[in-house]
Amino acid sequence: MDAPEPDTPFAAVTAQTTKYGRMFQSYLDKSTPFVAYRWVGTAVLFILFALRIFFAQGWYIVAYSLGIYLLNLFLAFISPKFDPSLEQDEGMEDGTAGSALPTKEEEEFRPFVRRLPEFKFWYSTTKAVSTGFVCSWFEIFNLPVFWPVLVVYWLILFGLTMRRQIQHMIKYRYVPFTVGKARYSNK
């Protein structure tokens, strides 16, 4: 049995938009377990964008903006959800205010919880690279800039930001990656 006909054209558009939104969300949900394939697709899209910028010899401000946004996303990805350096964040995870990170073996282990989960990081990265790629086809975004200055400024910004983040990781003893951590299997 089909759904009843909508009363107004706006209702018809809303119904179609909702239908396509649900279909898109379904595909996103189905892609969740395929982490490597998702990132490979995003990497291919990023390479296409970089080739477009390289061969077109323009749209450097779009590339710079994308670089700043991706750096911001990456910092949120490697940052803890509850920052131990901020007193108001302490104890928010389990509801007990005032508890610090474990410093001795007897203290409770608390796993690393990211500020930006992997799936949201991937989705935001893919949307940003897609938007940058589309913007690189419109002449209005091709602003005349001296690109070496943008590259040097981005590298300085990256270096300073990552140094601060690494110092924060060392000070509060957390590792946002699972490389090198012990894994236990059920045998």
Side-chain angles (χ1 to χ4, degrees):
M1 190 161 143
D2 292 330
E5 287 293 320
D7 296 338
T8 65
F10 181 72
V13 170
T14 303
Q16 284 297 333
T17 308
T18 304
K19 175 184 169 187
Y20 291 129
R22 278 183 279 158
M23 286 173 45
F24 180 71
Q25 187 63 45
S26 170
Y27 287 123
L28 278 179
D29 293 343
K30 289 177 184 176
S31 73
T32 302
F34 304 106
V35 177
Y37 294 120
R38 287 188 284 120
W39 281 105
V40 165
T42 302
V44 167
L45 187 62
F46 183 78
I47 290 169
L48 288 173
F49 171 74
L51 288 173
R52 166 75 179 141
I53 298 300
F54 179 74
F55 287 120
Q57 293 294 310
W59 291 273
Y60 300 118
I61 205 76
V62 174
Y64 175 73
S65 301
L66 178 64
I68 294 292
Y69 183 70
L70 293 180
L71 177 61
N72 185 27
L73 287 176
F74 182 68
L75 286 174
F77 177 69
I78 64 173
S79 298
K81 185 172 186 176
F82 304 103
D83 192 353
S85 65
L86 301 175
E87 288 185 26
Q88 69 257 21
D89 283 353
E90 291 181 7
M92 290 191 59
E93 186 174 352
D94 56 0
T96 59
S99 64
L101 288 176
T103 56
K104 299 182 179 115
E105 284 187 30
E106 307 88 51
E107 294 185 25
E108 176 186 359
F109 168 74
R110 295 166 69 186
F112 182 79
V113 179
R114 297 182 186 284
R115 180 169 291 163
L116 181 67
E118 183 273 334
F119 186 81
K120 288 183 180 180
F121 178 45
W122 166 79
Y123 186 57
S124 297
T125 300
T126 305
K127 286 192 308 186
V129 173
S130 301
T131 303
F133 187 72
V134 169
C135 287
S136 73
W137 292 96
F138 293 99
E139 195 63 35
I140 193 168
F141 296 112
N142 191 9
L143 302 175
V145 292
F146 187 59
W147 67 266
V149 172
L150 292 179
V151 171
V152 169
Y153 182 67
W154 189 87
L155 289 173
I156 290 171
L157 186 65
F158 178 80
L160 292 175
T161 306
M162 289 309 294
R163 186 186 73 180
R164 188 187 59 174
Q165 188 67 31
I166 291 170
Q167 287 174 343
H168 191 268
M169 290 178 191
I170 292 169
K171 181 178 180 181
Y172 293 103
R173 295 188 306 274
Y174 66 89
V175 179
F177 304 107
T178 57
V179 177
K181 291 184 178 179
R183 292 181 183 243
Y184 302 100
S185 61
N186 295 336
K187 289 185 179 181

